[in-house]
Amino acid sequence: MSTQETHERHGRAQAARLRAALTAGSDTPRAARILAELQAHSPEFVRMWELQEVARYGDCKTILHPELGRIDVDAQLLYTENRAQTLVVLTTRPGTESHSKLELLSVIGHQQLTP
């Protein structure tokens, strides 16, 4: 998936999450202020908002590591009861190149692979 496709998917997901936040009842005035600001300054957001999508509970994301390159992860979103907070859990699928790269990162930590 290209960077542009990833950007589009992430933008749509964020617009959908904002739509869900407006109905969650936890901090709707804040969500409404964010919505107004985005609508006033971002034609890209307005286009995505008009799709009328609502947040999903999972998604695929791509992390671009400076040395290992693309790492595809699955994201699971866990919400508090009032949806005021979200925990994002990122995992890779076992047996994939992305899984191997994540395992490598757990071993090397912050070490640089290239001089």
Side-chain angles (χ1 to χ4, degrees), residues 48-87:
M48 292 176 184
W49 183 257
E50 289 173 353
L51 295 172
Q52 298 185 12
E53 296 174 320
V54 180
R56 294 175 287 170
Y57 285 92
D59 197 5
C60 286
K61 299 189 180 302
T62 300
I63 298 169
L64 295 176
H65 188 274
E67 296 177 357
L68 297 179
R70 178 185 176 132
I71 302 174
D72 296 316
V73 295
D74 293 325
Q76 294 179 330
L77 308 176
L78 307 173
Y79 298 99
T80 56
E81 187 173 330
N82 66 358
R83 292 184 157 265
Q85 295 181 358
T86 306
L87 173 66

